[in-house]
């Protein structure tokens, strides 16, 4: 198959050099390692179709990969070298950025930050962003239905996608880029492909919704007494302003870790608080003084005891510094020691209690560990991370990790939540999905997979149990 691909696509599209492939054979966290005899890097949709047809003919599985920033090892090939890596990074053309129709069409390998810049250049904005924006791709974001920090106002990738172009497992091209507002010709292939993690086809381009560029933003940091105070503060702000688009919860110990391990970070507030929130409000109207609006609202909130202290960033550099604290929590945890990450969701109203109760239960059952929940409180989605603590053995992750994760997943399931809020299932959560999902759901996943990919060539061993 590799020779045939070389003949059809030319040498530029075929990488077999081990050193060149090396960075792409392990997942972003460096925990899962795979092997592949080659990495194919098509530059056009037709080349992707040619590769998929070859894969079907030779019965060779393909593992699509974008920026390889995924958190569930979905883009890591199997360790036995039985699959070929399909790098989408050469498909990096932004085909359309049109302020009139408020649409962009970006190929799968376009880096998110580059789409942000292209939209901004025409006075528009693609309103989804996340910490990996300098590396993650539109194809990966689509295939994981990524979320990020602006979901509160704009939703996940799914709500920002107007259509998908993809190569299906039989090598045919599905073109959903026309961006029809109404199209009820039965099952939506576009919707099936969003969040499919490369198991139903290869996303080659995506039509995306744009919104007007921001005229100004206000970024605030508050100290609050508890997650339920934080949620009350969010509800207070939402009831009085439509400008709130980011609301992140940060516990004191996450802030302390960042200050200890990330150079150049400083505490936003003078005093100590058990919990913090990072708030972002934006306006598209240059006449609106958004900082004054948020300042006035926070003054009332402080008076009502919804927050203990608050500060608004004076300038963009300070705003970025506040966001840097939030964005580097995982990095600081890694510098501190072994950490188990869980990306979970429960109903928004249940989240404050879940954060407190789950932390207490996990720390009671596994003495010495430190559990903490941070992140997208307003979406009912937090990153519930469990750190090894000072006295853990070097093999703590391997020895206790699975049992801790089972407990967290059981607590989430008992609360009616999801064991994967935004990171997908990949290979890391497949067994837990099978253990905890209702049989009907598993049956439907398998039936859809088999119907579209009967040969099982699209990213086998991922997502579908
Ligand atoms: C610092 C950091 C912060 C992050 N923050 C967030 C966050 O806030 N919210 C969030 O949701 N995620 C977050 N992530 C996770 C990650 O950025 C997203 O999941 C992103 O969508 C992955 O994009 P990628 O291009 O790197 O995809 P990859 O990691 O390369 O692939 C992810 C999955 O998509 C499949 N895939 C990739 N491209 C295609 C394609 N063209 N066609 C079909 N399948 C494809 C792969 O096979 C794999 O299953 C973060 C990651 C990092 C490192």
């Amino acid at each position: 198959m590799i020779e045939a691909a070389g003949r059809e696509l030319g040498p530029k599209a075929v990488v077999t050099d081990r050193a060149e492939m090396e960075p792409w054979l392990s997942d972003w966290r460096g925990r899962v390692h795979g092997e592949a005899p080659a990495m194919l890097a098509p530059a056009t949709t037709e080349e992707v179709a040619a590769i998929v047809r070859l894969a079907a003919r030779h019965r060779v599985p393909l593992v699509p990969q974008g920026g390889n920033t995924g958190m569930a090892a979905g883009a890591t090939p199997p360790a036995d070298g039985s699959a070929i890596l399909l790098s989408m990074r050469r498909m990096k053309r932004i085909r359309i950025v049109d302020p009139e129709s408020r649409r962009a069409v970006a190929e799968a390998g376009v880096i998110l930050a580059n789409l942000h810049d292209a939209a901004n250049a025409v006075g528009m904005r693609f309103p989804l962003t996340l910490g990996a924006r300098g590396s993650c791709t539109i194809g990966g974001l689509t295939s994981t239905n990524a979320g990020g920090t602006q979901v509160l106002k704009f939703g996940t990738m799914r709500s920002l996608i107007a259509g998908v172009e993809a190569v299906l497992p039989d090598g045919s091209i599905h073109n959903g880029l026309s961006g029809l507002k109404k199209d009820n010709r039965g099952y939506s292939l576009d919707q099936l492909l969003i969040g499919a993690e490369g198991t139903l086809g290869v996303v080659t381009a995506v039509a995306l919704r744009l919104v007007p560029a921001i005229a100004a933003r206000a970024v605030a940091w508050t100290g609050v007494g508890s997650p339920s105070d934080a949620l009350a503060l969010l509800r207070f702000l939402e009831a009085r302003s439509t400008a709130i688009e980011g609301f992140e919860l940060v516990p004191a110990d996450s802030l302390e870790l960042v200050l200890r391990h990330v150079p150049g970070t400083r505490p936003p507030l003078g005093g100590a608080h058990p919990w913090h929130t990072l708030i972002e409000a934006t306006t598209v109207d240059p006449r609106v003084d958004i900082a004054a609006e948020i300042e006035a609202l926070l003054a009332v909130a402080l008076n009502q005891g919804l927050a203990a202290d608050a500060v608004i960033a004076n300038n963009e550099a300070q705003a970025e510094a506040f966001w840097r604290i939030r964005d580097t929590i995982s990095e600081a945890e890694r510098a501190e020691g072994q950490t188990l990450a869980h990306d979970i969701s429960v109903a928004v109203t249940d989240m404050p209690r879940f954060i407190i109760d789950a932390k207490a239960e996990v720390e009671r059952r596994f003495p010495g560990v430190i559990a903490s929940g941070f992140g997208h409180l307003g979406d009912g989605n937090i990153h519930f991370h469990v750190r090894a603590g000072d006295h853990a053995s070097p093999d703590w992750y391997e020895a206790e990790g699975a049992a801790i994760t089972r407990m967290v997943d059981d607590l989430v399931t008992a609360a009616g939540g999801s064991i994967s809020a935004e990171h997908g299932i990949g290979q890391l959560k497949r067994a837990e999905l099978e253990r905890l999902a209702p049989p009907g759901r598993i049956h439907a996943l398998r039936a859809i997979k088999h119907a579209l990919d009967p040969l099982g060539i699209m990213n086998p061993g991922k997502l579908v149990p």
Side-chain angles (χ1 to χ4, degrees):
M1 169 168 172
I2 296 166
E3 280 166 15
R7 278 195 303 276
E8 275 199 46
L9 310 174
K12 242 177 140 178
V14 183
V15 178
T16 50
D17 178 52
R18 180 65 217 210
E20 211 177 314
M21 287 196 289
E22 181 75 38
W24 310 106
L25 293 173
S26 299
D27 75 319
W28 186 80
R29 288 199 175 102
R31 291 208 181 273
V32 183
H33 306 283
E35 277 301 332
M39 179 167 81
L40 301 182
T44 64
T45 303
E46 289 67 31
E47 288 188 358
V48 175
I51 291 170
V52 173
R53 282 195 297 270
L54 280 177
R57 191 179 316 143
H58 293 268
R59 303 285 199 272
V60 175
L62 295 171
V63 179
Q65 189 182 77
N68 198 25
T69 69
M71 293 292 189
T76 311
D80 63 5
S82 59
I84 285 181
L85 206 51
L86 180 62
S87 168
M88 298 303 288
R89 287 179 293 277
R90 280 180 71 217
M91 287 197 66
K92 55 184 180 198
R93 214 158 53 89
I94 299 178
R95 295 182 192 164
I96 299 169
V97 191
D98 179 20
E100 274 300 300
S101 61
R102 298 189 167 191
R103 287 284 154 82
V105 174
E107 291 184 348
V110 170
I111 304 274
L112 178 58
N114 294 343
L115 178 69
H116 287 159
D117 291 347
N120 215 27
V122 297
M124 301 300 286
R125 171 185 182 212
F126 180 62
L128 183 142
T129 190
L130 42 82
R133 60 188 162 274
S135 313
C136 66
T137 63
I138 296 304
L141 292 159
T142 301
S143 302
T144 58
N145 184 28
T149 47
Q150 258 64 19
V151 172
L152 195 61
K153 184 158 179 182
F154 297 105
T156 60
M157 236 2 227
R158 195 181 291 284
S159 55
L160 292 166
I161 291 178
V164 176
E165 176 194 271
V167 174
L168 300 176
D170 64 357
S172 63
I173 295 172
H174 161 69
N175 186 343
L177 296 180
S178 59
L180 298 175
K181 201 158 187 171
K182 292 187 165 181
D183 177 12
N184 280 349
R185 288 174 289 177
Y187 308 137
S188 167
L189 272 181
D190 293 1
Q191 292 299 325
L192 269 181
L193 288 158
I194 299 168
E197 301 185 31
T199 62
L200 299 180
V202 185
V203 173
T204 48
V206 186
L208 300 153
R209 298 183 213 285
L210 303 178
V211 298
I214 292 169
R217 70 168 175 169
V219 176
W221 190 278
T222 74
V224 294
S226 65
S228 65
D229 285 356
L231 187 56
L233 175 63
L234 172 63
R235 294 303 187 225
F236 169 88
L237 294 171
E238 282 180 328
R240 287 157 184 81
S241 169
T242 53
I244 309 297
E245 61 173 66
F247 192 94
E248 298 286 307
L249 181 72
V250 179
D253 77 316
S254 296
L255 175 62
E256 277 159 28
L257 285 184
V258 169
L259 298 176
R260 191 178 318 148
H261 293 291
V262 182
T265 49
R266 298 171 49 184
L269 296 170
H273 302 277
W275 297 86
H276 302 255
T277 71
L278 172 61
I279 303 164
E280 177 159 307
T282 65
T283 178
V284 296
D285 183 349
R287 293 163 306 177
V288 171
D289 186 346
I290 188 71
E293 183 182 319
I294 296 306
E295 195 171 359
L297 283 176
L298 285 176
V300 180
L302 285 169
N303 261 337
Q304 294 187 5
L306 291 169
D309 199 2
V311 60
I312 298 197
N314 276 328
N315 48 43
E316 264 303 298
Q318 206 177 15
E320 280 301 310
F322 287 0
W323 270 112
R324 184 145 180 264
I325 293 173
R326 163 64 186 88
D327 285 341
T328 53
I329 293 176
S330 296
E331 181 186 323
E333 285 176 339
R334 272 199 310 279
E336 177 78 4
Q338 302 176 74
T339 305
L340 258 178
H342 308 96
D343 158 49
I344 54 107
S345 67
V346 300
V348 179
T349 43
D350 296 338
M351 187 49 98
R353 173 164 293 283
F354 180 87
I355 291 172
I356 301 291
D357 290 354
K359 173 180 170 63
E361 287 190 45
V362 169
E363 290 180 354
R364 194 178 321 119
R365 170 96 72 89
F366 297 93
V369 305
I370 301 150
S372 85
F374 66 91
H376 322 300
L377 180 70
D379 307 330
N381 167 207
I382 53 150
H383 303 303
F384 189 83
H385 289 189
V386 182
R387 301 203 306 279
D390 289 341
H391 306 295
S393 65
D395 67 348
W396 171 84
Y397 188 93
E398 286 72 24
E400 289 203 43
I404 295 173
T405 294
R406 280 173 82 93
M407 181 179 182
V408 173
D409 290 346
D410 285 342
L411 291 170
V412 169
T413 305
S418 165
I419 62 166
S420 181
E422 29 172 47
H423 291 164
I425 297 297
Q427 38 183 322
L428 297 185
K429 294 187 180 177
R430 216 161 65 113
E432 283 294 83
L433 181 71
E434 181 162 31
R435 184 172 76 85
L436 295 167
R441 192 183 183 103
I442 302 283
H443 173 75
L445 285 177
R446 286 180 180 148
I448 292 167
K449 168 74 178 170
H450 186 72
L452 287 184
D453 182 20
L455 301 177
I457 54 162
M458 287 309 312
N459 214 1
K462 314 288 169 53
L463 172 56
V464 185

